[in-house]
Amino acid sequence: MLQIHQIKENIYCFRGLDRTHFDFHGSVFKTTDGASYMAYLVIDKEITLIDTMDEALTEEFKVEVLKVLNGRKIDNIIINHVEPDHSFAYEDIKDMFPEAKTYCSKLAAKALKNMFFKEHTYTEVDSLETINTGKYNFTFALTPFIHWPDNMITYLGEEKILFSNDAFGSLVTGDALYDDEYDYDKDLFRHCKEYYANIVMPCSKFVAKRLPEILGLNLPIEMVCPSHGIIWRKDIIKIITQYLKWANFEEIKDKVVIVYDTIWDSTHKVAKEIASGLEEKGIEVSLYRAKTARPSEVITDIMDAKAVLIGSSNFNNTMVPTIADILERMIALKPQGKIGMSFGSFGWVNTHLKRIDTRLEEAGINVIEAPHYENFRPDEKDREFAKAVGENLAKRILEK
Ligand code: FEO
């Protein structure tokens, strides 16, 4: 479904709502409510399209753009970012309006050629370069690694609008377009947090550096128009402040995330005892079995935890594959400022937990304890020991 919203007298938002596909940004990020994709059309002496549309909504997008154009043509296409959820429709739009000029970063121009195998003339722009379309001026700011190297944002000064592409996006797929139509704490920030954790978190050091630089330009902003989720107009400073907190990992709590998987239930028993030791000492615990958990939710939970515990049975000579999945995500998404340890059971060899520790270290986790092994099923004494592991960890967390 494609919504069209007139957000200003001369500006239209095309908001594609895809509530039937739960793969987001490719195939590794599973959402619960689908996803939304936004592109913008600015009518002036020259008409400018900012970003395009995901594959699933491209045909509808083309039809609706033509309706809004009402016989006019697109003169300029601004590609803030080349990832296909924003650029898939670019080639079709370019075929429809071959005279349109394309503005993008240097790296985006290179990537577009590699993606579409067609030679177009791209106007490569740099930070603070401006184009004029009549009464409007569009100013660009490169934002490399927020979250791909090619990313940039575009500012429309006359309307005080920032077109931020992936930045400040969210997983909201409700019918309403604006932030003030949602409950910030119940809906918006929950969806934004999951989006940040799974898309933006690995770029946190760039966010922490680049965002204050952009804010330092003191541009008046009345609307932030991302390419996912909703438009921010009510409390823009709140979402910007929240981004800075996430980027600097300022919201880490006395919380432990335990992710385990189990073959014959022994590692599950150990996980429950460790969790019980932590909880009895007042630590918040999230306990996930990797086989049934949604990895994107687990990663979101890890973002503000103080410790991550990874448990696995021994699977011949390595960890259970679902645990490898979570660890590879952690390596890719780089949660910071956490301690961690591994635990689990084995029958005849116990090499798997050392492999887990190595991957935890690759993910930037400070591994603080030797792996906690159980040989076959934990008996009563083993269970007491596992509970004590949780209690000791709780003490350490509360002392930090
Ligand atoms: Fe929503 Fe990096 O694309």
Side-chain angles (χ1 to χ4, degrees), residues 32 185 317:
T32 53
D185 294 320
N317 58 357

Side-chain angles (χ1 to χ4, degrees), residues 24-26 36-37 81-87 146-148 150-151 165-167 195 199 227-228:
F24 184 54
H25 277 103
S36 61
Y37 305 89
H81 177 35
V82 299
E83 197 162 6
D85 52 325
H86 308 294
S87 70
I146 309 174
H147 68 129
W148 277 19
D150 63 283
N151 274 88
N165 194 268
D166 277 331
Y195 180 96
I199 302 288
S227 294
H228 297 291

Side-chain angles (χ1 to χ4, degrees), residues 84-135:
D85 52 325
H86 308 294
S87 70
F88 186 88
Y90 170 70
E91 276 300 325
D92 283 5
I93 295 286
K94 186 72 179 151
D95 284 346
M96 290 157 67
F97 304 100
E99 302 301 316
K101 286 187 195 157
T102 305
Y103 297 89
C104 60
S105 68
K106 185 175 181 177
L107 289 172
K110 186 165 175 261
L112 287 168
K113 282 174 194 157
N114 288 335
M115 281 168 61
F116 297 121
F117 314 114
K118 285 193 184 170
E119 283 294 329
H120 295 299
T121 301
Y122 296 102
T123 303
E124 297 171 4
V125 298
D126 209 340
S127 284
L128 302 184
E129 278 187 36
T130 295
I131 61 165
N132 176 271
T133 60
K135 67 179 180 181

Side-chain angles (χ1 to χ4, degrees), residues 166-277:
D166 277 331
F168 310 117
S170 66
L171 298 170
V172 177
T173 55
D175 286 336
L177 176 66
Y178 295 103
D179 57 345
D180 47 61
E181 298 171 281
Y182 293 90
D183 181 325
Y184 262 61
D185 294 320
K186 194 165 134 224
D187 296 320
L188 279 192
F189 279 179
R190 177 172 63 87
H191 282 302
C192 278
K193 186 178 173 186
E194 183 164 325
Y195 180 96
Y196 187 95
N198 289 278
I199 302 288
V200 188
M201 184 162 67
C203 316
S204 287
K205 75 174 181 186
F206 298 102
V207 177
K209 181 173 184 296
R210 194 75 178 110
L211 192 50
E213 287 171 2
I214 291 168
L215 294 175
L217 297 172
N218 290 319
L219 302 171
I221 301 173
E222 289 183 355
M223 219 180 249
V224 174
C225 293
S227 294
H228 297 291
I230 48 89
I231 289 176
W232 304 92
R233 66 178 179 186
K234 175 188 158 199
D235 203 345
I236 291 165
I237 201 67
K238 194 166 174 176
I239 181 62
I240 290 174
T241 305
Q242 187 62 58
Y243 252 60
L244 285 170
K245 283 184 188 170
W246 285 330
N248 289 300
F249 291 88
E250 283 176 20
E251 296 193 323
I252 292 180
K253 302 190 278 188
D254 288 341
K255 178 175 85 173
V256 176
V257 173
I258 302 175
V259 192
Y260 72 94
D261 222 331
T262 193
I263 299 175
W264 289 107
D265 209 42
S266 299
T267 300
H268 173 216
K269 289 186 170 77
V270 177
K272 281 202 304 186
E273 293 298 339
I274 295 175
S276 136

Side-chain angles (χ1 to χ4, degrees), residues 19 54 56-57 89 151 211 229 237 259 262 286 336 372 381:
R19 295 169 179 148
D54 184 68
L57 294 144
N151 274 88
L211 192 50
I237 201 67
V259 192
T262 193
S286 299
Q336 292 173 29
H372 175 63
K381 203 166 139 204

